[in-house]
Amino acid sequence: MPGVNEFWLCFVPLFVAVDAVGVLPVFLSLTQDVAPQLVRRVIYQSVVTATAVALAFLALGTAILDLLGITVADFMVA
């Protein structure tokens, strides 16, 4: 079903932001029948999304965690 592939390709940039290496097999399987231009576009979007999320957490991460009341000890439990 082509609709399912298109659905998952929309979420690849978000998955890359979370776990770039772990999503590689999923990315390869989803893009095996996709035009190279579209694959490059998805890679570009993935890198931009990952960079934006990383920079946002770098700039605002401590403030967001403080706002939510999450401490370093909370991470140790997890």
Side-chain angles (χ1 to χ4, degrees):
M1 287 190 311
V4 173
N5 244 3
E6 291 171 6
F7 172 78
W8 284 109
L9 282 174
C10 293
F11 289 99
V12 168
L14 295 176
F15 292 144
V16 170
V18 175
D19 183 15
V21 176
V23 79
L24 187 59
V26 175
F27 178 78
L28 292 174
S29 69
L30 289 173
T31 58
Q32 66 186 359
D33 298 327
V34 178
Q37 296 85 6
L38 182 57
V39 172
R40 273 191 233 99
R41 181 174 166 206
V42 171
I43 291 170
Y44 175 77
Q45 289 174 345
S46 300
V47 170
V48 169
T49 301
T51 302
V53 169
L55 291 175
F57 274 101
L58 184 63
L60 303 170
T62 304
I64 292 171
L65 293 176
D66 287 343
L67 179 68
L68 296 173
I70 299 172
T71 65
V72 173
D74 295 331
F75 284 104
M76 289 177 167
V77 172

